[in-house]
Amino acid sequence: SNNGAALLETIIATDTPNGHSPASRTHWAADQNLPLMKDKKVADVLFWVSDGAFDMRSQRILKAFVSLMKAANIDVAILGDEERDSGDVARRLGDDATFQSLAKRNLATLSQYEFNKIVTTDPHAYHCLRNEYEDLDDDGVLAQGASGQAIEVLHHTTYLNQLVQQGLLKLDVFKGAKVTYHDPCYLGRYNGEYDAPRELLRSLGIEIAEMERSGFRSRCCGGGGGAPITDIPGERRIADMRMEDVIATDAEIVAVGCQQCTAMLEGVVEPRPVVKDIAEILAGQLVEEVH
């Protein structure tokens, strides 16, 4: 589509799908006291922020995740304006040259720092960094982290589940609303991560009201492959169909692990269940410690 071509031009010009200036990538973090890699040089976790930085709704997910990392005293830093688009959208739209150029520049940036894990709340960036950067990583940037082991690329639900299992987060039991969970395509079908998000919800005492189409049979939210940005006619319908699956469970909350799924599902006309990222649900259950 012409929209696809225009989108690629925007990515080439600004390194972001929506044409934001890379400097505005850190505005959401102004009040978060997150160290920058260029100041710190070494950290356990590099938080890959992705395009959620430019969107008000997604920023709430980022902040919820940051609050959880702080509660667990994680040694974390962000790239700030050194982070470029991961290249996922360019690759999905078939522009391999732009994908490679973005990937190479991101790898060059990452090579300057030492860290053990890259964690992101964006399954698209996760898939890209975890599975598609390897072929272009001629210098083995991701092959050896600060600890000498290969760098792990983790989705935030996998990482948060590790923190909960290690007893690093004090969480209250979640009471009340019935919850279902939507598997993001890039987390579930492409990367086989079905368990961590569910274990996290269960760790709060939530009994998940599963949709008929869940796990590897999950239905797409309509947000993959550049669809939300290029806006292919009819893509609303996929989100509506997915919301019908949600409503069939009688859930009042649909838990997700992807800002694009959040955007697509929240685009469905109300009344409908509330859409919340798992990080937001967990952050809401953090036990405030009295000092």
Side-chain angles (χ1 to χ4, degrees):
S1 79
N2 286 347
N3 283 355
L7 173 62
L8 286 167
E9 279 170 29
T10 306
I11 294 175
I12 293 162
T14 64
D15 296 321
T16 68
N18 300 317
H20 302 279
S21 94
S24 67
R25 195 179 277 281
T26 46
H27 290 179
W28 73 276
D31 55 352
Q32 299 294 299
N33 296 328
L34 276 173
L36 291 174
M37 265 298 186
K38 62 183 160 208
D39 298 331
K40 206 166 140 57
K41 308 289 191 243
V42 182
D44 180 34
V45 172
L46 171 67
F47 175 26
W48 187 274
V49 174
S50 196
D51 330 341
F54 303 118
D55 167 72
M56 295 288 289
R57 175 65 186 89
S58 303
Q59 288 168 9
R60 301 202 326 248
I61 299 171
L62 298 174
K63 288 176 181 181
F65 179 55
V66 170
S67 72
L68 292 163
M69 285 196 288
K70 285 190 173 158
N73 290 315
I74 301 304
D75 173 26
V76 59
I78 57 174
L79 288 173
D81 57 12
E82 291 190 298
E83 186 185 308
R84 297 280 167 262
D85 185 82
S86 66
D88 163 75
V89 174
R91 180 150 246 200
R92 301 298 149 240
L93 292 172
D95 182 351
D96 225 52
T98 298
F99 163 71
Q100 290 192 24
S101 142
L102 287 164
K104 292 272 191 202
R105 286 161 69 194
N106 280 323
L107 284 164
T109 301
L110 293 173
S111 72
Q112 301 169 60
Y113 306 120
E114 288 189 54
F115 50 93
N116 296 311
K117 299 178 184 78
I118 299 176
V119 182
T120 182
T121 59
D122 177 2
H124 297 253
Y126 160 71
H127 177 73
C128 212
L129 293 163
R130 180 174 183 245
N131 303 312
E132 300 184 329
Y133 271 32
E134 230 171 337
D135 297 344
L136 301 171
D137 188 5
D138 303 331
D139 301 325
V141 174
L142 299 177
Q144 198 173 3
S147 66
Q149 306 291 314
I151 286 165
E152 272 190 291
V153 181
L154 298 167
H155 185 253
H156 72 298
T157 56
T158 310
Y159 181 62
L160 288 170
N161 196 41
Q162 291 175 4
L163 298 184
V164 169
Q165 306 286 344
Q166 290 160 15
L168 292 173
L169 288 170
K170 295 188 178 61
L171 299 163
D172 272 331
V173 170
F174 182 90
K175 293 187 181 66
K178 193 173 192 183
V179 179
T180 190
Y181 169 66
H182 166 73
D183 289 278
C185 297
Y186 278 80
L187 188 60
R189 279 212 297 263
Y190 291 126
N191 288 289
E193 180 60 280
Y194 299 110
D195 297 339
R198 289 175 169 82
E199 283 173 16
L200 277 172
L201 292 170
R202 285 197 285 267
S203 74
L204 296 174
I206 291 170
E207 198 177 310
I208 303 160
E210 291 283 6
M211 287 181 264
E212 195 177 320
R213 295 189 55 171
S214 67
F216 67 92
R217 296 182 60 248
S218 180
R219 197 199 301 262
C220 177
C221 71
I229 312 171
T230 49
D231 202 18
I232 296 152
E235 55 94 14
R236 295 258 31 92
R237 206 171 41 85
I238 304 176
D240 291 336
M241 279 161 38
R242 190 55 175 158
M243 192 52 89
E244 282 161 19
D245 296 345
V246 170
I247 289 165
T249 67
D250 283 334
E252 293 151 82
I253 295 174
V254 52
V256 292
C258 170
Q259 61 236 19
Q260 286 176 336
C261 297
T262 303
M264 297 305 296
L265 294 171
E266 284 189 346
V268 174
V269 179
E270 296 188 273
R272 53 158 173 71
V274 174
V275 183
K276 278 195 170 182
D277 190 278
I278 288 182
E280 295 179 292
I281 296 175
L282 285 177
Q285 302 309 117
L286 268 176
V287 176
E288 293 296 324
E289 297 200 21
V290 183
H291 293 295

